[in-house]
Amino acid sequence: MTSQHGHTVFTSFDAIPATYPIGIFDSGVGGLTIAAAIRRTMPDEKLLYLGDVARQPYGTKSPRTVTRYAVQASEFLVEKGIKALVVACNTASAVALDAISERFPGLPVLGVVEAGADGAARASARGRIVVAATEGTCRSEAYERAIALRRQDATVRCIPCPLFVALAEEGLTDGPIVESVARHYLGSLFDRDKGADGEAGDCLVLGCTHFPLLAPALARLAGPGVTLVDCAEATASMLVRLLEGREAPRGSGGGLQLISTDAPERFSRMAGKLFPAMGPSPAVELADL
Ligand code: DGL
């Protein structure tokens, strides 16, 4: 273990205690979709979740700013003591994963874009893939690159849907407002008669960790022939393989600790509303990065 700029940095994975949690971060409550899947898949592991709500949204910011925020969020979690890091934010995964991995050479780090791309490449029947994501994720073309490595026949259309983030953070996950915003962004892409290029999408990737919260409305809009891809389960499976591959010490007892960079009461209310399994008002600690 070494210390850089006051932060603890692990240089050897062997040195990381089994009792340490898995660190997870997003700009807000969206990454809890990933945390929930990890809890289902690895119930014995302790999870430490950071929602950087003071600086959200990440999706409309420049790659430079998102990278700075993502590295700071990672440093905060590493300093608390974690045995692996999940970047539960597509925007940060798309632009900052290399910077985070370079910053913590001894730590297993996993992003969510690979999982989403993998799911899309498997799920799409005709290779007509629509990715709903943030502006930053679309601008990075990370999905196009990751899918091209897996399916050369695929056409990928990445559609920025920034208002979906605000709707999810507001706890507004279904109903006429969500349907109308969804139609605004995605309506023409799943129109069997008027699809772009004359080809309607056959697969919709929820390329932002907030978007699975709107899944029922998005599934209705896309229609019965379209497969929705949510990267949460795939990320959890990848994490299992990553930790097994590194012969990581297993956790015990489970548990989820929540930290927010602003308004912890609001974070608690929204987490409780969107994820009833956490109870009506889970404890949320306030922290400055
Ligand atoms: N949930 C994040 C993502 O997956 C970012 C949402 C935002 O802050 O714009 O991209």
Side-chain angles (χ1 to χ4, degrees), residues 3-30:
S3 191
Q4 285 178 17
H5 317 298
H7 295 285
T8 305
V9 177
F10 289 100
T11 49
S12 157
F13 190 65
D14 299 336
I16 299 179
T19 51
Y20 274 18
I22 293 164
I24 305 172
F25 79 88
D26 180 39
S27 64
V29 292

Side-chain angles (χ1 to χ4, degrees), residues 26-27 57-59 89-91 134 165 208-210:
D26 180 39
S27 64
Y58 280 11
C89 171
N90 283 267
T91 313
T134 65
V165 177
C208 169
T209 54
H210 283 72

Side-chain angles (χ1 to χ4, degrees), residues 29 53 169 258-273 280-287:
V29 292
V53 299
E169 285 289 333
L258 303 175
I259 302 175
S260 169
T261 54
D262 197 12
E265 315 76 24
R266 185 175 195 284
F267 192 94
S268 169
R269 203 169 61 246
M270 285 306 154
K273 179 175 175 192
S281 49
V284 180
E285 201 183 300
L286 176 65

